[in-house]
Amino acid sequence: MRAISGLWRWRHNPLRRATDLAEAWVALVALLLILFVAPVIGTVVGGVAQDGLQRSVRDQHQSRHLVTATVIRKLDRSPLDADPETSSARDLRTRVLAGWTAPDGTEHSGPVMASLKSPQQGDHFAIWTDQHGKLVPRPLDSATATTHAVIAGFGAALATAGLVEAGRRLIVWRMVRRRYARWDQAWDRAGPDWGRTGTGS
């Protein structure tokens, strides 16, 4: 709004300098870019991120399988685990030796983290594996992918607005420096005779 009011104020003002009008135009162009171009860039980036992430969600759900594991025995807490005094999501999981059947029919066993408070031999819990029974992380869900895409789009829009504002400030800074340089030149030309008019010297 300052850009528009600046343009309006300087339209026919006799004290208007060319740089004043140029600064107002630069501010107006920057404002329009921030209002119209930044949201478009954010939307495009968000859309591309959404397509890629949803494709990844589909791929992960096709290649990762939820299988049932059976507790063989409870294992001691790993020395690398978090401090037992702290309460976190990891504290809700227990390290056990478990066995499971892979989607391809092969039998597997090994140490896993089970979401059981006090696991007993024979207890069942779900784990994610690939086709051959190797443990894999839980696949990304569609809602989380959409959230990441929105964040990416919002970040792209903010980055665009920041770049536009940085460009505007750089242009105005160069204009001001050029204006000061011209003032210095004018003072240098007027300096030797300043205040001597009419003194007869």
Side-chain angles (χ1 to χ4, degrees):
M1 295 310 295
R2 268 180 27 191
I4 296 171
S5 65
L7 281 173
W8 186 262
R9 187 176 66 245
W10 288 110
R11 278 183 323 145
H12 303 296
N13 192 317
L15 299 177
R16 182 194 73 198
R17 297 166 296 193
T19 55
D20 295 325
L21 193 59
E23 284 181 31
W25 276 110
V26 167
L28 178 62
V29 169
L31 176 66
L32 293 175
L33 287 174
I34 289 171
L35 289 178
F36 297 107
V37 176
V40 169
I41 290 176
T43 302
V44 170
V45 169
V48 170
Q50 172 76 341
D51 291 343
L53 287 169
Q54 291 300 337
R55 193 177 314 112
S56 178
V57 167
R58 288 191 297 274
D59 292 345
Q60 287 183 14
H61 278 278
Q62 287 176 357
S63 64
R64 300 179 186 187
H65 306 277
L66 191 62
V67 299
T68 301
T70 304
V71 175
I72 297 173
R73 64 184 167 84
K74 183 177 178 180
L75 297 175
D76 294 333
R77 179 181 285 271
S78 168
L80 299 177
D81 281 348
D83 182 358
E85 296 298 320
T86 62
S87 60
S88 66
R90 177 173 285 193
D91 293 335
L92 302 176
R93 299 171 67 86
T94 308
R95 192 164 172 265
V96 298
L97 180 65
W100 63 92
T101 303
D104 65 1
T106 57
E107 296 291 331
H108 296 269
S109 64
V112 295
M113 298 299 289
S115 54
L116 301 170
K117 278 189 174 182
S118 55
Q120 302 295 324
Q121 184 177 3
D123 287 349
H124 299 291
F125 62 98
I127 58 172
W128 288 95
T129 71
D130 63 9
Q131 181 67 25
H132 306 293
K134 182 181 176 183
L135 293 172
V136 293
R138 179 190 184 103
L140 185 66
D141 63 88
S142 183
T144 303
T146 299
T147 301
H148 289 320
V150 169
I151 291 171
F154 189 68
L158 282 180
T160 302
L163 285 173
V164 169
E165 176 60 13
R168 183 195 71 80
R169 287 175 182 261
L170 179 63
I171 291 170
V172 170
W173 176 75
R174 291 186 61 131
M175 286 180 177
V176 169
R177 281 185 59 109
R178 194 173 302 138
R179 181 189 306 154
Y180 287 161
R182 282 199 296 265
W183 284 353
D184 288 341
Q185 291 169 1
W187 278 109
D188 287 344
R189 285 193 299 270
D193 295 328
W194 183 255
R196 296 186 180 185
T197 306
T199 61
S201 55

